[in-house]
Amino acid sequence: MNIRDLVHSSPIIGLSLPNPGRNPAGTGTIRMPNTPKSVMSTPDSSNVPSRAGSPHSKQCYSRTASIVLIGMRGVGKTTLATIAATALGWEHIDTDEIFESREHKSIAAYIVELGWDAFRAVESQILHDLLTAYPTNKIIACGGGVVEPESNRLALQVFREHGIVVHVMREKDAVLKYLRECTHHPPFYHETAVEAWDRRVVWFRECSSFDFVSLTVDIPSAPEGSPETAITPEQTLALKPVEEEFFRLLRFIHGIDTNKVAVGPRTHRSYILCLTYKDVRDAVPVLDDLSQGIDMWEIRVDLLGSLDPTFLAFQVATLRRYSNLPILFTLRTVNQGGKYQDATDDTTALHSLLQYALRLGVEYLDLQATYPKNIFMDLVARKGNTSIIGSYHNWSGNISWTGQETRQIYETLVQLGSDILNITNVAKTWEDNMSLREFVSSVEKNGIPLIAVNMFAQGKISRALNTTLSHVCHPLLPYPASPGQISFVECQQILHFTGLLPARKFYVFGNPIGESMSPTLHNTAFATLGLPHSYELHETDSVDPLVEVLRNPSFGGASVTAPYRRDIMPYLMHVSRQAKIIGAVNNVTPIPGGFSGDNTDWRAIKTCILGSVTPANAVTASTTALIFGAGGTARAALYALYYIGVVNIFIYNRTKTNAQILADEFNKLDALFCIRVLDSLSIPLPIHPQPTIIISTVPATSNSPTGPIEVDVGLKLEHLSSRGGVAVELAYQRRVTKLLALAEKKKDQGWVSVEGIEFFLEQGYEQFKIFTGRRVPKKVIRAKVLEVYERNVAHELTS
């Protein structure tokens, strides 16, 4: 059977993956899913977990601690191990590969000859050896049945005291199909694959600290005539979502990026949307619309169609596949307005469900004040990097905000160790909202973020006035999660009408800026989110008139483009560290006492690179980049590359002196930096290894008597590495530039193109967030900007 047959018959295929950079020893195979995403069977909703396994109470791991992956055969452990090893520069170890290397025969042949017991004995010895010998800097992928012997389960439980053990899951139907067709192992001994799955899942959770769902992705077929062991660039690119989701979990575990919402007196208002679906996957078609304006998702577990742990894991995984917003895991009981049974003498199931939230690595966990105290405190002790929202909902309306009962509830939630408090009451009159604000004012000095709202129609205004994580609804939801909830847009309208959200004017400063797409981007975003602001062009011949605009009371912020990115800096009270290093600002906002400047170009470049680089070309210490140009945007590109870990950089510029000045300046920033200037674009380039990241910061066109003509920097097809890479174009005067055309010709070798309009969108998204504190509604904005952009480009080409 060749690779094309495998692609069409199996969700997991064995392929070799290049492993460049810091890990020459970390070679191995990569198993990739290929079947379309299947719908996981939904267990009966009454089937609550009895033994979900609890994460270690320590929940604190060294960043060098080895990572062990366990799970059923065919779920993608080797895929994750290889991706992680390449990105981390660690060695990837596969227990099955070690077994076959030691025994000099395949696992299937060994079992046929000597039996399963003999195989398990050798496998156990391999596991114990690895866990003992490699406590750090290794990714260890274990065979599906490694948890069968009790001694192995005990060894894994000991290892997770200091290392990370991840239980990897995938859609059951796809994996079972693979197991039926797999020839690497003989059939299961005296049982079916389904029986083995159901029996082992309890052991997997007993031995691991976290559950991770590696959702199946569609893998394109290899071209006709490809070698059986080769992996195509398209196939590695298809694995990008799996890579991003796995590293999101690892960054959270290690505390590198816990993906939290900024809350506090000096932060923007924040919002939560509760998904009131029985199955979150039903929300996928409208998820982008639902997310407009919000900062966090809430999964109301008590409203879901099942309480089975695997079902819950897939709910969280689905949200992570389609959104990077943090997740709040909430299990609301009947007496608190939910559907889960109130606590009884046996609270095992309740405790297990809440523990499972920590296993999934959710960013936030809601704990009711009505939960048994021992459960609440146990989860606070185990929370790791998860934030606890302590909550109380009074549905009876028998307590008031000015009464002692509310104060006692507040103090109880504080004493239990809540990171954020949520107290919800009933508004019987409009004046109850004023009492709420008085209570909030009286406890603000404590410094603990507080969500305080009233329910029902009389309490609607309290939801708009609440500043921290207000629960909002959306017309596309099946139903609101709580009576009296209003939408994000309605919140903004109320804030505007009450004077708490005054209309602001935003601008783009520069010259010439007549064809700027920024007004289209920002005005569309304002209208979509219901914000009362406006954005317009402000073109001047000098920087002096801009100062008067800054001082206008209605000034909300400005984008800054050439030639004022440096000229505006002396007028700013504060300039971000990144903008100082880059030496230019492209974003100005008012702050108390003056104005602040920042640079979003580098963030957009970083996003464009990381969103397009394949797992096969993950950034390592040996990654090389090539930049065209030596102006302000080239400076932003250098900083972006430095931020993501690329230190071997070459610059080519028409004026070599300017390029050398830029290289000398940035080389002083860090001893690791190695920036060199090319004299010419010779063939081959005097660069080793060849660059896998190429960024053009020069204009795509120049003016001539006959109209705009394409700028040709001299790049040739031979300059692009045969290993593939990312070509980023920062100019957007044309959709397809010379650089992108060359990259397209080498698409089959793994080159990915990023158009200049994509860079423009990304930097605009970043600016909008700085301007308003809100995430831009990307789907709507992108569609509108591309519509106008394509119309403008078509007009230019025909004029």
Side-chain angles (χ1 to χ4, degrees):
M1 180 181 288
N2 61 31
I3 191 171
R4 286 178 295 280
D5 295 326
L6 285 169
V7 165
H8 290 290
S9 65
S10 167
I12 309 294
I13 57 178
L15 300 169
S16 63
L17 177 70
N19 193 18
R22 295 169 287 178
N23 184 24
T27 57
T29 60
I30 183 165
R31 297 175 183 174
M32 301 196 306
N34 183 60
T35 56
K37 177 183 174 184
S38 62
V39 178
M40 182 189 65
S41 301
T42 302
D44 182 77
S45 61
S46 63
N47 180 25
V48 297
S50 59
R51 297 177 67 192
S54 59
H56 189 279
S57 59
K58 183 181 179 183
Q59 288 282 297
C60 182
Y61 303 93
S62 165
R63 294 182 187 178
T64 62
S66 290
I67 300 169
V68 177
L69 306 180
I70 62 176
M72 281 295 290
R73 188 193 316 164
V75 294
K77 299 184 296 294
T78 305
T79 300
L80 291 176
T82 309
I83 289 173
T86 302
L88 294 173
W90 291 5
E91 184 179 2
H92 157 218
I93 302 174
D94 190 293
T95 58
D96 286 353
E97 290 181 1
I98 292 179
F99 181 95
E100 293 184 344
S101 176
R102 284 189 184 183
E103 301 302 320
H104 305 291
K105 63 181 65 178
S106 71
I107 293 175
Y110 186 95
I111 294 174
V112 168
E113 180 181 344
L114 298 173
W116 277 100
D117 291 343
F119 166 70
R120 291 289 178 223
V122 177
E123 181 187 51
S124 296
Q125 187 60 56
I126 290 172
L127 175 68
H128 286 256
D129 290 345
L130 292 176
L131 296 183
T132 302
Y134 300 120
T136 61
N137 300 325
K138 297 291 185 292
I139 310 289
I140 303 172
C142 299
V146 74
V147 294
E148 293 282 356
E150 184 179 4
S151 62
N152 289 358
R153 300 198 294 273
L154 293 174
L156 288 166
Q157 290 169 355
V158 170
F159 181 85
R160 71 174 181 178
E161 294 288 324
H162 58 83
I164 299 172
V165 182
V166 179
H167 170 214
V168 182
M169 296 181 287
R170 191 185 294 281
E171 294 94 333
K172 196 170 188 177
D173 293 343
V175 175
L176 291 176
K177 180 178 183 295
Y178 165 73
L179 293 177
R180 288 193 298 269
E181 299 169 353
C182 177
T183 59
H184 189 65
H185 289 73
F188 288 92
Y189 185 62
H190 291 325
E191 65 182 341
T192 67
V194 175
E195 290 171 335
W197 183 302
D198 294 339
R199 180 170 51 80
R200 289 177 182 173
V201 68
V202 175
W203 291 337
F204 287 137
R205 290 186 173 127
E206 285 181 349
C207 298
S208 59
S209 306
F210 298 92
D211 278 10
F212 173 76
V213 176
S214 179
L215 289 174
T216 299
V217 294
D218 294 329
I219 300 297
S221 302
E224 192 73 26
S226 298
E228 292 188 17
T229 58
I231 179 170
T232 69
E234 290 83 1
Q235 290 171 332
T236 63
L237 185 60
L239 284 170
K240 192 68 181 176
V242 178
E243 177 190 47
E244 292 174 349
E245 291 151 19
F246 189 54
F247 274 91
R248 173 175 171 175
L249 176 63
L250 292 184
R251 288 193 299 269
F252 177 81
I253 292 172
H254 286 139
I256 298 171
D257 179 7
T258 56
N259 197 28
K260 297 299 175 62
V261 179
V263 293
R266 296 186 178 181
T267 60
H268 293 281
R269 295 174 184 272
S270 49
Y271 299 88
I272 304 175
L273 185 78
C274 176
L275 295 168
T276 54
Y277 293 84
K278 289 186 176 181
D279 190 330
V280 169
R281 289 169 293 187
D282 294 336
V284 169
V286 294
L287 210 56
D288 191 77
D289 297 311
L290 292 172
S291 70
Q292 292 176 7
I294 68 166
D295 303 277
M296 185 190 302
W297 297 112
E298 181 177 30
I299 294 181
R300 275 284 299 274
V301 178
D302 55 298
L303 302 181
L304 294 174
S306 172
L307 298 178
D308 179 80
T310 300
F311 181 82
L312 299 181
F314 274 78
Q315 299 294 289
V316 170
T318 298
L319 272 183
R320 287 174 174 163
R321 169 59 58 89
Y322 296 99
S323 173
N324 60 7
L325 291 182
I327 297 171
L328 167 62
F329 186 105
T330 300
L331 182 65
R332 192 77 68 218
T333 60
V334 173
N335 66 22
Q336 292 288 286
K339 293 188 175 182
Y340 191 78
Q341 69 269 20
D342 291 324
T344 60
D345 292 338
D346 184 5
T347 59
T348 303
L350 170 67
H351 199 177
S352 182
L353 276 169
L354 296 171
Q355 284 179 336
Y356 195 63
L358 301 182
R359 290 186 57 86
L360 297 175
V362 295
E363 290 88 350
Y364 295 86
L365 173 61
D366 181 282
L367 297 180
Q368 298 175 179
T370 55
Y371 287 158
K373 184 177 180 180
N374 65 310
I375 291 179
F376 199 118
M377 298 189 70
D378 175 72
L379 291 162
V380 168
R382 297 175 181 270
K383 68 178 183 176
N385 291 315
T386 296
S387 294
I388 302 298
I389 299 182
S391 67
Y392 181 83
H393 290 69
N394 173 42
W395 285 82
S396 63
N398 59 353
I399 65 174
S400 68
W401 288 101
T402 57
Q404 187 61 33
E405 300 95 331
T406 304
R407 182 73 59 171
Q408 290 175 347
I409 292 168
Y410 177 92
E411 295 296 339
T412 297
L413 291 173
V414 171
Q415 293 169 5
L416 287 171
S418 305
D419 299 299
I420 299 172
L421 310 181
N422 178 9
I423 301 178
T424 302
N425 212 332
V426 172
K428 297 179 179 178
T429 65
W430 190 88
E431 285 73 18
D432 289 335
N433 298 304
M434 298 301 98
S435 298
L436 180 157
R437 300 312 307 169
E438 291 177 10
F439 176 82
V440 171
S441 298
S442 70
V443 298
E444 280 181 336
K445 63 181 181 296
N446 296 334
I448 301 176
L450 172 63
I451 306 167
V453 297
N454 284 324
M455 293 183 285
F456 299 104
Q458 293 283 3
K460 285 185 176 182
I461 193 171
S462 72
R463 296 184 181 276
L465 298 179
N466 180 64
T467 59
T468 300
L469 297 174
S470 295
H471 281 79
V472 294
C473 65
H474 194 284
L476 294 176
L477 286 173
Y479 54 89
S482 179
Q485 282 187 355
I486 56 179
S487 70
F488 172 83
V489 171
E490 290 172 322
C491 279
Q492 308 318 299
Q493 292 171 342
I494 292 174
L495 291 172
H496 179 54
F497 293 148
T498 55
L500 296 175
L501 181 61
R504 299 295 185 190
K505 290 185 177 181
F506 296 81
Y507 305 87
V508 55
F509 296 157
N511 190 356
I513 53 176
E515 297 181 358
S516 173
M517 299 289 295
S518 294
T520 300
L521 188 155
H522 291 285
N523 284 325
T524 303
F526 291 149
T528 303
L529 296 181
L531 300 176
H533 311 312
S534 62
Y535 187 103
E536 59 190 64
L537 304 176
H538 198 286
E539 185 172 303
T540 65
D541 293 328
S542 70
V543 73
D544 294 332
L546 302 180
V547 179
E548 294 304 315
V549 177
L550 296 177
R551 292 171 179 167
N552 192 303
S554 66
F555 175 74
S559 310
V560 184
T561 186
Y564 303 127
R565 293 188 173 189
R566 295 179 69 88
D567 295 345
I568 199 74
M569 293 176 73
Y571 299 93
L572 307 178
M573 185 175 74
H574 172 266
V575 176
S576 71
R577 175 179 175 272
Q578 296 89 346
K580 287 179 181 177
I581 293 174
I582 294 168
V585 302
N586 74 331
N587 190 86
V588 174
T589 50
I591 58 174
F595 305 96
S596 176
D598 203 346
N599 187 298
T600 64
D601 283 346
W602 77 269
R603 293 193 186 99
I605 297 169
K606 175 200 70 173
T607 300
C608 289
I609 295 172
L610 294 181
S612 300
V613 67
T614 70
N617 276 320
V619 172
T620 69
S622 64
T623 298
T624 302
L626 171 61
I627 295 177
F628 287 97
T633 315
R635 303 173 70 90
L638 279 171
Y639 188 84
L641 290 169
Y642 173 70
Y643 186 88
I644 65 176
V646 181
V647 294
N648 302 303
I649 304 170
F650 288 81
I651 302 176
Y652 181 75
N653 190 53
R654 181 177 57 184
T655 306
K656 181 182 177 183
T657 303
N658 293 341
Q660 193 61 58
I661 292 173
L662 182 58
D664 292 343
E665 180 180 340
F666 270 78
N667 275 327
K668 296 176 183 177
L669 291 177
D670 195 310
L672 294 175
F673 243 147
C674 183
I675 307 173
R676 288 157 283 184
V677 177
L678 291 177
D679 293 320
S680 64
L681 294 177
S682 59
I683 299 175
L685 290 171
I687 300 175
H688 182 77
Q690 284 184 285
T692 52
I693 301 174
I694 300 178
I695 305 173
S696 176
T697 70
V698 300
T701 61
S702 62
N703 294 325
S704 73
T706 59
I709 59 173
E710 184 173 8
V711 173
D712 187 352
V713 296
L715 192 68
K716 304 297 181 184
L717 194 64
E718 293 81 1
H719 292 136
L720 275 63
S721 169
S722 60
R723 288 179 49 216
V726 182
V728 182
E729 178 62 73
L730 302 187
Y732 64 90
Q733 295 96 333
R734 291 196 174 187
R735 193 76 188 257
V736 180
T737 63
K738 181 68 177 294
L739 170 61
L740 299 185
L742 293 176
E744 184 65 23
K745 289 181 180 179
K746 282 210 168 185
K747 183 178 180 180
D748 61 338
Q749 293 186 4
W751 278 92
V752 180
S753 300
V754 179
E755 297 179 4
I757 192 63
E758 299 297 340
F759 161 72
F760 166 78
L761 285 167
E762 289 295 340
Q763 63 81 31
Y765 298 159
E766 293 286 348
Q767 285 192 349
F768 187 84
K769 190 170 184 178
I770 293 174
F771 287 157
T772 66
R774 306 257 64 84
R775 293 168 47 258
V776 72
K778 291 186 179 181
K779 181 181 176 181
V780 175
I781 301 310
R782 190 174 191 278
K784 184 62 177 180
V785 167
L786 287 179
E787 175 192 336
V788 176
Y789 173 68
E790 289 173 354
R791 187 167 62 240
N792 292 345
V793 170
H795 174 73
E796 180 181 322
L797 293 176
T798 57
S799 61

